PDB file of all heavy atoms in Angstrom:
ATOM      1  N   THR C 169       0.838  -1.192  -0.015  1.00 85.00           N
ATOM      2  CA  THR C 169      -0.006   0.001   0.014  1.00 85.00           C
ATOM      3  C   THR C 169       0.872   1.252  -0.006  1.00 85.00           C
ATOM      4  O   THR C 169       0.551   2.227  -0.697  1.00 85.00           O
ATOM      5  CB  THR C 169      -0.961   0.003   1.209  1.00 85.00           C
ATOM      6  OG1 THR C 169      -1.663  -1.219   1.267  1.00 85.00           O
ATOM      7  CG2 THR C 169      -1.931   1.165   1.108  1.00 85.00           C
ATOM      8  N   LEU C 170       1.940   1.233   0.781  1.00 87.00           N
ATOM      9  CA  LEU C 170       2.882   2.400   0.795  1.00 87.00           C
ATOM     10  C   LEU C 170       3.464   2.631  -0.613  1.00 87.00           C
ATOM     11  O   LEU C 170       3.614   3.803  -1.040  1.00 87.00           O
ATOM     12  CB  LEU C 170       4.013   2.109   1.771  1.00 87.00           C
ATOM     13  CG  LEU C 170       3.809   2.610   3.217  1.00 87.00           C
ATOM     14  CD1 LEU C 170       5.018   2.200   4.060  1.00 87.00           C
ATOM     15  CD2 LEU C 170       3.630   4.147   3.252  1.00 87.00           C
ATOM     16  N   SER C 171       3.783   1.536  -1.314  1.00 86.00           N
ATOM     17  CA  SER C 171       4.327   1.681  -2.641  1.00 86.00           C
ATOM     18  C   SER C 171       3.332   2.378  -3.569  1.00 86.00           C
ATOM     19  O   SER C 171       3.722   3.245  -4.370  1.00 86.00           O
ATOM     20  CB  SER C 171       4.673   0.276  -3.183  1.00 86.00           C
ATOM     21  OG  SER C 171       5.198   0.350  -4.512  1.00 86.00           O
ATOM     22  N   LYS C 172       2.040   2.061  -3.438  1.00 80.00           N
ATOM     23  CA  LYS C 172       1.043   2.733  -4.280  1.00 80.00           C
ATOM     24  C   LYS C 172       0.844   4.201  -3.888  1.00 80.00           C
ATOM     25  O   LYS C 172       0.635   5.038  -4.788  1.00 80.00           O
ATOM     26  CB  LYS C 172      -0.263   1.955  -4.183  1.00 80.00           C
ATOM     27  CG  LYS C 172      -0.217   0.606  -4.840  1.00 80.00           C
ATOM     28  CD  LYS C 172      -1.586  -0.081  -4.859  1.00 80.00           C
ATOM     29  CE  LYS C 172      -1.470  -1.417  -5.621  1.00 80.00           C
ATOM     30  NZ  LYS C 172      -2.751  -2.136  -5.709  1.00 80.00           N
ATOM     31  N   LEU C 173       0.954   4.484  -2.597  1.00 81.00           N
ATOM     32  CA  LEU C 173       0.855   5.871  -2.179  1.00 81.00           C
ATOM     33  C   LEU C 173       2.040   6.697  -2.701  1.00 81.00           C
ATOM     34  O   LEU C 173       1.882   7.882  -3.055  1.00 81.00           O
ATOM     35  CB  LEU C 173       0.777   5.965  -0.655  1.00 81.00           C
ATOM     36  CG  LEU C 173      -0.577   5.555  -0.021  1.00 81.00           C
ATOM     37  CD1 LEU C 173      -0.417   5.440   1.497  1.00 81.00           C
ATOM     38  CD2 LEU C 173      -1.635   6.570  -0.352  1.00 81.00           C
ATOM     39  N   LEU C 174       3.198   6.091  -2.722  1.00 81.00           N
ATOM     40  CA  LEU C 174       4.399   6.782  -3.215  1.00 81.00           C
ATOM     41  C   LEU C 174       4.289   7.035  -4.743  1.00 81.00           C
ATOM     42  O   LEU C 174       4.843   8.032  -5.243  1.00 81.00           O
ATOM     43  CB  LEU C 174       5.657   5.990  -2.911  1.00 81.00           C
ATOM     44  CG  LEU C 174       6.101   5.980  -1.434  1.00 81.00           C
ATOM     45  CD1 LEU C 174       7.225   4.996  -1.233  1.00 81.00           C
ATOM     46  CD2 LEU C 174       6.544   7.403  -1.045  1.00 81.00           C
ATOM     47  N   GLY C 175       3.622   6.130  -5.435  1.00 78.00           N
ATOM     48  CA  GLY C 175       3.497   6.246  -6.880  1.00 78.00           C
ATOM     49  C   GLY C 175       4.338   5.207  -7.600  1.00 78.00           C
ATOM     50  O   GLY C 175       5.556   5.149  -7.458  1.00 78.00           O
ATOM     51  N   GLU C 176       3.642   4.309  -8.343  1.00 77.00           N
ATOM     52  CA  GLU C 176       4.306   3.233  -9.037  1.00 77.00           C
ATOM     53  C   GLU C 176       4.281   3.434 -10.534  1.00 77.00           C
ATOM     54  O   GLU C 176       3.472   4.234 -11.056  1.00 77.00           O
ATOM     55  CB  GLU C 176       3.642   1.883  -8.699  1.00 77.00           C
ATOM     56  CG  GLU C 176       3.733   1.476  -7.235  1.00 77.00           C
ATOM     57  CD  GLU C 176       3.038   0.158  -6.992  1.00 77.00           C
ATOM     58  OE1 GLU C 176       2.071  -0.205  -7.699  1.00 77.00           O
ATOM     59  OE2 GLU C 176       3.472  -0.551  -6.059  1.00 77.00           O
ATOM     60  N   ARG C 177       5.139   2.709 -11.234  1.00 76.00           N
ATOM     61  CA  ARG C 177       5.118   2.733 -12.677  1.00 76.00           C
ATOM     62  C   ARG C 177       3.775   2.203 -13.154  1.00 76.00           C
ATOM     63  O   ARG C 177       3.234   1.244 -12.626  1.00 76.00           O
ATOM     64  CB  ARG C 177       6.252   1.835 -13.221  1.00 76.00           C
ATOM     65  CG  ARG C 177       6.260   1.707 -14.765  1.00 76.00           C
ATOM     66  CD  ARG C 177       7.136   0.541 -15.142  1.00 76.00           C
ATOM     67  NE  ARG C 177       8.535   0.753 -14.732  1.00 76.00           N
ATOM     68  CZ  ARG C 177       9.412   1.381 -15.521  1.00 76.00           C
ATOM     69  NH1 ARG C 177       9.085   1.808 -16.714  1.00 76.00           N
ATOM     70  NH2 ARG C 177      10.637   1.548 -15.111  1.00 76.00           N
ATOM     71  N   VAL C 178       3.252   2.853 -14.196  1.00 77.00           N
ATOM     72  CA  VAL C 178       1.958   2.415 -14.729  1.00 77.00           C
ATOM     73  C   VAL C 178       2.066   1.015 -15.309  1.00 77.00           C
ATOM     74  O   VAL C 178       3.139   0.616 -15.804  1.00 77.00           O
ATOM     75  CB  VAL C 178       1.486   3.401 -15.817  1.00 77.00           C
ATOM     76  CG1 VAL C 178       2.398   3.410 -17.009  1.00 77.00           C
ATOM     77  CG2 VAL C 178       0.030   3.091 -16.252  1.00 77.00           C
ATOM     78  N   ASP C 179       1.011   0.234 -15.255  1.00 80.00           N
ATOM     79  CA  ASP C 179       1.015  -1.123 -15.785  1.00 80.00           C
ATOM     80  C   ASP C 179       1.423  -1.100 -17.217  1.00 80.00           C
ATOM     81  O   ASP C 179       0.908  -0.330 -18.042  1.00 80.00           O
ATOM     82  CB  ASP C 179      -0.403  -1.732 -15.641  1.00 80.00           C
ATOM     83  CG  ASP C 179      -0.510  -3.106 -16.216  1.00 80.00           C
ATOM     84  OD1 ASP C 179       0.099  -4.034 -15.671  1.00 80.00           O
ATOM     85  OD2 ASP C 179      -1.159  -3.230 -17.265  1.00 80.00           O
ATOM     86  N   ALA C 180       2.368  -1.992 -17.588  1.00 84.00           N
ATOM     87  CA  ALA C 180       2.945  -1.975 -18.958  1.00 84.00           C
ATOM     88  C   ALA C 180       1.914  -2.254 -20.017  1.00 84.00           C
ATOM     89  O   ALA C 180       1.891  -1.630 -21.068  1.00 84.00           O
ATOM     90  CB  ALA C 180       4.062  -3.029 -19.015  1.00 84.00           C
ATOM     91  N   GLU C 181       0.977  -3.149 -19.724  1.00 88.00           N
ATOM     92  CA  GLU C 181      -0.047  -3.493 -20.708  1.00 88.00           C
ATOM     93  C   GLU C 181      -0.991  -2.337 -20.920  1.00 88.00           C
ATOM     94  O   GLU C 181      -1.411  -2.047 -22.042  1.00 88.00           O
ATOM     95  CB  GLU C 181      -0.836  -4.735 -20.212  1.00 88.00           C
ATOM     96  CG  GLU C 181      -1.754  -5.352 -21.285  1.00 88.00           C
ATOM     97  CD  GLU C 181      -0.974  -5.829 -22.506  1.00 88.00           C
ATOM     98  OE1 GLU C 181       0.153  -6.271 -22.380  1.00 88.00           O
ATOM     99  OE2 GLU C 181      -1.593  -5.733 -23.597  1.00 88.00           O
ATOM    100  N   MET C 182      -1.339  -1.610 -19.845  1.00 88.00           N
ATOM    101  CA  MET C 182      -2.197  -0.452 -19.947  1.00 88.00           C
ATOM    102  C   MET C 182      -1.536   0.622 -20.790  1.00 88.00           C
ATOM    103  O   MET C 182      -2.141   1.241 -21.663  1.00 88.00           O
ATOM    104  CB  MET C 182      -2.510   0.077 -18.562  1.00 88.00           C
ATOM    105  CG  MET C 182      -3.433   1.256 -18.532  1.00 88.00           C
ATOM    106  SD  MET C 182      -3.736   1.849 -16.845  1.00 88.00           S
ATOM    107  CE  MET C 182      -4.864   3.187 -17.161  1.00 88.00           C
ATOM    108  N   ALA C 183      -0.246   0.896 -20.529  1.00 90.00           N
ATOM    109  CA  ALA C 183       0.499   1.895 -21.261  1.00 90.00           C
ATOM    110  C   ALA C 183       0.547   1.535 -22.747  1.00 90.00           C
ATOM    111  O   ALA C 183       0.382   2.382 -23.632  1.00 90.00           O
ATOM    112  CB  ALA C 183       1.931   2.029 -20.729  1.00 90.00           C
ATOM    113  N   LYS C 184       0.763   0.253 -23.039  1.00 91.00           N
ATOM    114  CA  LYS C 184       0.838  -0.201 -24.406  1.00 91.00           C
ATOM    115  C   LYS C 184      -0.506   0.002 -25.145  1.00 91.00           C
ATOM    116  O   LYS C 184      -0.549   0.461 -26.280  1.00 91.00           O
ATOM    117  CB  LYS C 184       1.197  -1.716 -24.435  1.00 91.00           C
ATOM    118  CG  LYS C 184       1.377  -2.307 -25.806  1.00 91.00           C
ATOM    119  CD  LYS C 184       1.790  -3.771 -25.662  1.00 91.00           C
ATOM    120  CE  LYS C 184       1.913  -4.449 -27.041  1.00 91.00           C
ATOM    121  NZ  LYS C 184       2.245  -5.840 -26.925  1.00 91.00           N
ATOM    122  N   GLU C 185      -1.607  -0.288 -24.419  1.00 93.00           N
ATOM    123  CA  GLU C 185      -2.916  -0.108 -25.018  1.00 93.00           C
ATOM    124  C   GLU C 185      -3.231   1.367 -25.317  1.00 93.00           C
ATOM    125  O   GLU C 185      -3.797   1.702 -26.366  1.00 93.00           O
ATOM    126  CB  GLU C 185      -3.978  -0.705 -24.112  1.00 93.00           C
ATOM    127  CG  GLU C 185      -3.928  -2.247 -24.040  1.00 93.00           C
ATOM    128  CD  GLU C 185      -4.888  -2.796 -22.978  1.00 93.00           C
ATOM    129  OE1 GLU C 185      -5.553  -1.990 -22.285  1.00 93.00           O
ATOM    130  OE2 GLU C 185      -4.930  -4.045 -22.812  1.00 93.00           O
ATOM    131  N   ILE C 186      -2.861   2.231 -24.374  1.00 94.00           N
ATOM    132  CA  ILE C 186      -3.119   3.654 -24.539  1.00 94.00           C
ATOM    133  C   ILE C 186      -2.313   4.201 -25.737  1.00 94.00           C
ATOM    134  O   ILE C 186      -2.826   4.936 -26.605  1.00 94.00           O
ATOM    135  CB  ILE C 186      -2.797   4.439 -23.280  1.00 94.00           C
ATOM    136  CG1 ILE C 186      -3.803   4.072 -22.185  1.00 94.00           C
ATOM    137  CG2 ILE C 186      -2.831   5.954 -23.543  1.00 94.00           C
ATOM    138  CD1 ILE C 186      -3.457   4.666 -20.824  1.00 94.00           C
ATOM    139  N   LYS C 187      -1.043   3.804 -25.818  1.00 93.00           N
ATOM    140  CA  LYS C 187      -0.199   4.255 -26.921  1.00 93.00           C
ATOM    141  C   LYS C 187      -0.721   3.732 -28.258  1.00 93.00           C
ATOM    142  O   LYS C 187      -0.649   4.426 -29.292  1.00 93.00           O
ATOM    143  CB  LYS C 187       1.238   3.796 -26.707  1.00 93.00           C
ATOM    144  CG  LYS C 187       1.954   4.546 -25.579  1.00 93.00           C
ATOM    145  CD  LYS C 187       3.368   4.041 -25.332  1.00 93.00           C
ATOM    146  CE  LYS C 187       4.032   4.765 -24.199  1.00 93.00           C
ATOM    147  NZ  LYS C 187       5.438   4.266 -23.997  1.00 93.00           N
ATOM    148  N   ALA C 188      -1.236   2.481 -28.247  1.00 94.00           N
ATOM    149  CA  ALA C 188      -1.789   1.905 -29.471  1.00 94.00           C
ATOM    150  C   ALA C 188      -3.008   2.697 -29.923  1.00 94.00           C
ATOM    151  O   ALA C 188      -3.213   2.920 -31.135  1.00 94.00           O
ATOM    152  CB  ALA C 188      -2.142   0.459 -29.268  1.00 94.00           C
ATOM    153  N   THR C 189      -3.797   3.122 -28.958  1.00 95.00           N
ATOM    154  CA  THR C 189      -4.997   3.937 -29.310  1.00 95.00           C
ATOM    155  C   THR C 189      -4.574   5.229 -29.923  1.00 95.00           C
ATOM    156  O   THR C 189      -5.155   5.693 -30.925  1.00 95.00           O
ATOM    157  CB  THR C 189      -5.832   4.224 -28.035  1.00 95.00           C
ATOM    158  OG1 THR C 189      -6.344   2.977 -27.535  1.00 95.00           O
ATOM    159  CG2 THR C 189      -7.026   5.146 -28.345  1.00 95.00           C
ATOM    160  N   ILE C 190      -3.564   5.874 -29.353  1.00 95.00           N
ATOM    161  CA  ILE C 190      -3.118   7.189 -29.863  1.00 95.00           C
ATOM    162  C   ILE C 190      -2.491   7.082 -31.245  1.00 95.00           C
ATOM    163  O   ILE C 190      -2.786   7.871 -32.135  1.00 95.00           O
ATOM    164  CB  ILE C 190      -2.101   7.820 -28.862  1.00 95.00           C
ATOM    165  CG1 ILE C 190      -2.793   8.117 -27.541  1.00 95.00           C
ATOM    166  CG2 ILE C 190      -1.477   9.082 -29.456  1.00 95.00           C
ATOM    167  CD1 ILE C 190      -1.868   8.509 -26.415  1.00 95.00           C
ATOM    168  N   THR C 191      -1.598   6.070 -31.449  1.00 93.00           N
ATOM    169  CA  THR C 191      -0.974   5.903 -32.729  1.00 93.00           C
ATOM    170  C   THR C 191      -1.927   5.327 -33.789  1.00 93.00           C
ATOM    171  O   THR C 191      -1.530   5.186 -34.933  1.00 93.00           O
ATOM    172  CB  THR C 191       0.266   4.969 -32.597  1.00 93.00           C
ATOM    173  OG1 THR C 191      -0.116   3.772 -31.970  1.00 93.00           O
ATOM    174  CG2 THR C 191       1.351   5.663 -31.794  1.00 93.00           C
ATOM    175  N   GLY C 192      -3.164   5.035 -33.370  1.00 94.00           N
ATOM    176  CA  GLY C 192      -4.156   4.604 -34.331  1.00 94.00           C
ATOM    177  C   GLY C 192      -4.630   5.742 -35.220  1.00 94.00           C
ATOM    178  O   GLY C 192      -5.237   5.495 -36.282  1.00 94.00           O
ATOM    179  N   PHE C 193      -4.374   6.965 -34.799  1.00 93.00           N
ATOM    180  CA  PHE C 193      -4.681   8.120 -35.639  1.00 93.00           C
ATOM    181  C   PHE C 193      -3.655   8.179 -36.781  1.00 93.00           C
ATOM    182  O   PHE C 193      -2.429   8.115 -36.519  1.00 93.00           O
ATOM    183  CB  PHE C 193      -4.657   9.408 -34.831  1.00 93.00           C
ATOM    184  CG  PHE C 193      -5.782   9.568 -33.874  1.00 93.00           C
ATOM    185  CD1 PHE C 193      -5.800   8.948 -32.653  1.00 93.00           C
ATOM    186  CD2 PHE C 193      -6.909  10.307 -34.243  1.00 93.00           C
ATOM    187  CE1 PHE C 193      -6.847   9.067 -31.760  1.00 93.00           C
ATOM    188  CE2 PHE C 193      -7.968  10.473 -33.387  1.00 93.00           C
ATOM    189  CZ  PHE C 193      -7.943   9.850 -32.141  1.00 93.00           C
ATOM    190  N   PRO C 194      -4.092   8.283 -38.016  1.00 91.00           N
ATOM    191  CA  PRO C 194      -3.166   8.173 -39.162  1.00 91.00           C
ATOM    192  C   PRO C 194      -2.060   9.237 -39.176  1.00 91.00           C
ATOM    193  O   PRO C 194      -0.948   8.989 -39.677  1.00 91.00           O
ATOM    194  CB  PRO C 194      -4.087   8.337 -40.384  1.00 91.00           C
ATOM    195  CG  PRO C 194      -5.356   8.937 -39.870  1.00 91.00           C
ATOM    196  CD  PRO C 194      -5.481   8.444 -38.473  1.00 91.00           C
ATOM    197  N   GLU C 195      -2.300  10.418 -38.599  1.00 91.00           N
ATOM    198  CA  GLU C 195      -1.275  11.468 -38.647  1.00 91.00           C
ATOM    199  C   GLU C 195      -0.224  11.321 -37.547  1.00 91.00           C
ATOM    200  O   GLU C 195       0.809  11.967 -37.603  1.00 91.00           O
ATOM    201  CB  GLU C 195      -1.963  12.833 -38.484  1.00 91.00           C
ATOM    202  CG  GLU C 195      -3.084  13.155 -39.487  1.00 91.00           C
ATOM    203  CD  GLU C 195      -4.438  12.739 -38.958  1.00 91.00           C
ATOM    204  OE1 GLU C 195      -4.505  11.913 -38.057  1.00 91.00           O
ATOM    205  OE2 GLU C 195      -5.443  13.245 -39.508  1.00 91.00           O
ATOM    206  N   ILE C 196      -0.484  10.444 -36.570  1.00 93.00           N
ATOM    207  CA  ILE C 196       0.416  10.317 -35.423  1.00 93.00           C
ATOM    208  C   ILE C 196       1.375   9.142 -35.661  1.00 93.00           C
ATOM    209  O   ILE C 196       0.936   7.991 -35.763  1.00 93.00           O
ATOM    210  CB  ILE C 196      -0.360  10.142 -34.113  1.00 93.00           C
ATOM    211  CG1 ILE C 196      -1.254  11.375 -33.900  1.00 93.00           C
ATOM    212  CG2 ILE C 196       0.581   9.943 -32.935  1.00 93.00           C
ATOM    213  CD1 ILE C 196      -2.154  11.243 -32.652  1.00 93.00           C
ATOM    214  N   ARG C 197       2.666   9.418 -35.713  1.00 91.00           N
ATOM    215  CA  ARG C 197       3.648   8.381 -35.949  1.00 91.00           C
ATOM    216  C   ARG C 197       4.112   7.678 -34.658  1.00 91.00           C
ATOM    217  O   ARG C 197       4.520   6.529 -34.671  1.00 91.00           O
ATOM    218  CB  ARG C 197       4.857   8.950 -36.692  1.00 91.00           C
ATOM    219  CG  ARG C 197       5.880   7.895 -37.113  1.00 91.00           C
ATOM    220  CD  ARG C 197       6.907   8.387 -38.070  1.00 91.00           C
ATOM    221  NE  ARG C 197       7.879   9.268 -37.422  1.00 91.00           N
ATOM    222  CZ  ARG C 197       8.974   9.754 -38.063  1.00 91.00           C
ATOM    223  NH1 ARG C 197       9.160   9.451 -39.363  1.00 91.00           N
ATOM    224  NH2 ARG C 197       9.817  10.538 -37.434  1.00 91.00           N
ATOM    225  N   GLY C 198       4.090   8.399 -33.550  1.00 91.00           N
ATOM    226  CA  GLY C 198       4.521   7.778 -32.304  1.00 91.00           C
ATOM    227  C   GLY C 198       3.895   8.480 -31.093  1.00 91.00           C
ATOM    228  O   GLY C 198       3.503   9.661 -31.148  1.00 91.00           O
ATOM    229  N   ALA C 199       3.810   7.774 -29.974  1.00 92.00           N
ATOM    230  CA  ALA C 199       3.333   8.292 -28.706  1.00 92.00           C
ATOM    231  C   ALA C 199       4.408   8.019 -27.656  1.00 92.00           C
ATOM    232  O   ALA C 199       4.827   6.895 -27.488  1.00 92.00           O
ATOM    233  CB  ALA C 199       2.014   7.647 -28.301  1.00 92.00           C
ATOM    234  N   TYR C 200       4.867   9.061 -26.958  1.00 91.00           N
ATOM    235  CA  TYR C 200       6.007   8.923 -26.065  1.00 91.00           C
ATOM    236  C   TYR C 200       5.734   9.677 -24.750  1.00 91.00           C
ATOM    237  O   TYR C 200       4.809  10.472 -24.653  1.00 91.00           O
ATOM    238  CB  TYR C 200       7.277   9.480 -26.709  1.00 91.00           C
ATOM    239  CG  TYR C 200       7.542   8.928 -28.062  1.00 91.00           C
ATOM    240  CD1 TYR C 200       7.266   9.702 -29.226  1.00 91.00           C
ATOM    241  CD2 TYR C 200       8.088   7.686 -28.253  1.00 91.00           C
ATOM    242  CE1 TYR C 200       7.486   9.199 -30.480  1.00 91.00           C
ATOM    243  CE2 TYR C 200       8.340   7.167 -29.507  1.00 91.00           C
ATOM    244  CZ  TYR C 200       8.025   7.928 -30.620  1.00 91.00           C
ATOM    245  OH  TYR C 200       8.299   7.435 -31.877  1.00 91.00           O
ATOM    246  N   ASP C 201       6.603   9.380 -23.759  1.00 88.00           N
ATOM    247  CA  ASP C 201       6.594  10.132 -22.499  1.00 88.00           C
ATOM    248  C   ASP C 201       5.216  10.052 -21.796  1.00 88.00           C
ATOM    249  O   ASP C 201       4.741  11.034 -21.260  1.00 88.00           O
ATOM    250  CB  ASP C 201       6.997  11.604 -22.685  1.00 88.00           C
ATOM    251  CG  ASP C 201       8.271  11.763 -23.455  1.00 88.00           C
ATOM    252  OD1 ASP C 201       9.154  10.896 -23.296  1.00 88.00           O
ATOM    253  OD2 ASP C 201       8.428  12.723 -24.259  1.00 88.00           O
ATOM    254  N   LEU C 202       4.585   8.895 -21.876  1.00 91.00           N
ATOM    255  CA  LEU C 202       3.260   8.742 -21.203  1.00 91.00           C
ATOM    256  C   LEU C 202       3.479   8.743 -19.710  1.00 91.00           C
ATOM    257  O   LEU C 202       4.196   7.904 -19.160  1.00 91.00           O
ATOM    258  CB  LEU C 202       2.602   7.440 -21.682  1.00 91.00           C
ATOM    259  CG  LEU C 202       1.257   7.129 -21.011  1.00 91.00           C
ATOM    260  CD1 LEU C 202       0.230   8.175 -21.365  1.00 91.00           C
ATOM    261  CD2 LEU C 202       0.796   5.731 -21.384  1.00 91.00           C
ATOM    262  N   VAL C 203       2.886   9.707 -19.039  1.00 88.00           N
ATOM    263  CA  VAL C 203       2.949   9.839 -17.581  1.00 88.00           C
ATOM    264  C   VAL C 203       1.560   9.796 -17.035  1.00 88.00           C
ATOM    265  O   VAL C 203       0.736  10.622 -17.403  1.00 88.00           O
ATOM    266  CB  VAL C 203       3.660  11.146 -17.136  1.00 88.00           C
ATOM    267  CG1 VAL C 203       3.719  11.228 -15.618  1.00 88.00           C
ATOM    268  CG2 VAL C 203       5.058  11.236 -17.749  1.00 88.00           C
ATOM    269  N   LEU C 204       1.279   8.840 -16.139  1.00 88.00           N
ATOM    270  CA  LEU C 204      -0.069   8.729 -15.550  1.00 88.00           C
ATOM    271  C   LEU C 204       0.061   8.882 -14.009  1.00 88.00           C
ATOM    272  O   LEU C 204       0.886   8.274 -13.402  1.00 88.00           O
ATOM    273  CB  LEU C 204      -0.665   7.366 -15.880  1.00 88.00           C
ATOM    274  CG  LEU C 204      -0.966   7.086 -17.350  1.00 88.00           C
ATOM    275  CD1 LEU C 204      -1.620   5.746 -17.522  1.00 88.00           C
ATOM    276  CD2 LEU C 204      -1.854   8.173 -17.959  1.00 88.00           C
ATOM    277  N   HIS C 205      -0.838   9.689 -13.454  1.00 86.00           N
ATOM    278  CA  HIS C 205      -0.866   9.915 -12.002  1.00 86.00           C
ATOM    279  C   HIS C 205      -2.139   9.235 -11.498  1.00 86.00           C
ATOM    280  O   HIS C 205      -3.237   9.491 -11.977  1.00 86.00           O
ATOM    281  CB  HIS C 205      -0.892  11.404 -11.698  1.00 86.00           C
ATOM    282  CG  HIS C 205       0.304  12.119 -12.192  1.00 86.00           C
ATOM    283  ND1 HIS C 205       1.548  12.028 -11.612  1.00 86.00           N
ATOM    284  CD2 HIS C 205       0.479  12.955 -13.248  1.00 86.00           C
ATOM    285  CE1 HIS C 205       2.433  12.766 -12.244  1.00 86.00           C
ATOM    286  NE2 HIS C 205       1.797  13.328 -13.249  1.00 86.00           N
ATOM    287  N   ASP C 206      -1.930   8.375 -10.522  1.00 83.00           N
ATOM    288  CA  ASP C 206      -3.024   7.578  -9.926  1.00 83.00           C
ATOM    289  C   ASP C 206      -3.644   8.374  -8.797  1.00 83.00           C
ATOM    290  O   ASP C 206      -3.024   8.657  -7.783  1.00 83.00           O
ATOM    291  CB  ASP C 206      -2.421   6.277  -9.434  1.00 83.00           C
ATOM    292  CG  ASP C 206      -3.389   5.351  -8.777  1.00 83.00           C
ATOM    293  OD1 ASP C 206      -4.582   5.786  -8.632  1.00 83.00           O
ATOM    294  OD2 ASP C 206      -3.075   4.224  -8.414  1.00 83.00           O
ATOM    295  N   TYR C 207      -4.968   8.676  -8.963  1.00 81.00           N
ATOM    296  CA  TYR C 207      -5.712   9.406  -7.882  1.00 81.00           C
ATOM    297  C   TYR C 207      -6.788   8.486  -7.291  1.00 81.00           C
ATOM    298  O   TYR C 207      -7.876   8.927  -6.952  1.00 81.00           O
ATOM    299  CB  TYR C 207      -6.333  10.679  -8.451  1.00 81.00           C
ATOM    300  CG  TYR C 207      -5.305  11.722  -8.737  1.00 81.00           C
ATOM    301  CD1 TYR C 207      -4.812  11.897 -10.016  1.00 81.00           C
ATOM    302  CD2 TYR C 207      -4.765  12.520  -7.732  1.00 81.00           C
ATOM    303  CE1 TYR C 207      -3.817  12.820 -10.313  1.00 81.00           C
ATOM    304  CE2 TYR C 207      -3.771  13.431  -8.011  1.00 81.00           C
ATOM    305  CZ  TYR C 207      -3.295  13.621  -9.298  1.00 81.00           C
ATOM    306  OH  TYR C 207      -2.332  14.524  -9.549  1.00 81.00           O
ATOM    307  N   GLY C 208      -6.414   7.211  -7.163  1.00 77.00           N
ATOM    308  CA  GLY C 208      -7.348   6.225  -6.652  1.00 77.00           C
ATOM    309  C   GLY C 208      -7.446   5.107  -7.654  1.00 77.00           C
ATOM    310  O   GLY C 208      -7.016   5.245  -8.806  1.00 77.00           O
ATOM    311  N   PRO C 209      -8.025   3.943  -7.257  1.00 72.00           N
ATOM    312  CA  PRO C 209      -8.138   2.814  -8.184  1.00 72.00           C
ATOM    313  C   PRO C 209      -8.939   3.211  -9.447  1.00 72.00           C
ATOM    314  O   PRO C 209     -10.007   3.780  -9.374  1.00 72.00           O
ATOM    315  CB  PRO C 209      -8.941   1.798  -7.371  1.00 72.00           C
ATOM    316  CG  PRO C 209      -8.669   2.163  -5.950  1.00 72.00           C
ATOM    317  CD  PRO C 209      -8.537   3.615  -5.912  1.00 72.00           C
ATOM    318  N   ASP C 210      -8.323   2.920 -10.595  1.00 71.00           N
ATOM    319  CA  ASP C 210      -8.941   3.151 -11.913  1.00 71.00           C
ATOM    320  C   ASP C 210      -9.244   4.622 -12.160  1.00 71.00           C
ATOM    321  O   ASP C 210     -10.169   5.010 -12.889  1.00 71.00           O
ATOM    322  CB  ASP C 210     -10.242   2.348 -12.074  1.00 71.00           C
ATOM    323  CG  ASP C 210     -10.018   0.854 -11.943  1.00 71.00           C
ATOM    324  OD1 ASP C 210      -8.939   0.408 -12.370  1.00 71.00           O
ATOM    325  OD2 ASP C 210     -10.892   0.159 -11.440  1.00 71.00           O
ATOM    326  N   SER C 211      -8.463   5.521 -11.530  1.00 80.00           N
ATOM    327  CA  SER C 211      -8.653   6.964 -11.721  1.00 80.00           C
ATOM    328  C   SER C 211      -7.313   7.594 -12.050  1.00 80.00           C
ATOM    329  O   SER C 211      -6.455   7.768 -11.198  1.00 80.00           O
ATOM    330  CB  SER C 211      -9.250   7.591 -10.454  1.00 80.00           C
ATOM    331  OG  SER C 211      -9.397   8.989 -10.609  1.00 80.00           O
TER     332      SER C 211
END
């Protein structure tokens, strides 16, 4: 729980899915520097 309060690396599969969604736009060649801040479960 302390580790989650301190802030953990985002789940790799989740990051991969978000980047895939973004690069699905034809004009976008890459998605980088994805930073997610956790403000509670699934938020």
Side-chain angles (χ1 to χ4, degrees):
T169 308
L170 268 177
S171 180
K172 291 186 177 182
L173 284 170
L174 286 172
E176 296 179 333
R177 176 195 297 272
V178 65
D179 177 68
E181 191 60 33
M182 181 182 183
K184 184 178 178 182
E185 289 173 0
I186 292 173
K187 289 178 181 179
T189 296
I190 294 171
T191 53
F193 288 82
E195 304 93 339
I196 299 176
R197 186 168 73 174
Y200 308 102
D201 310 326
L202 177 65
V203 180
L204 296 182
H205 300 286
D206 179 355
Y207 290 98
D210 301 326
S211 178

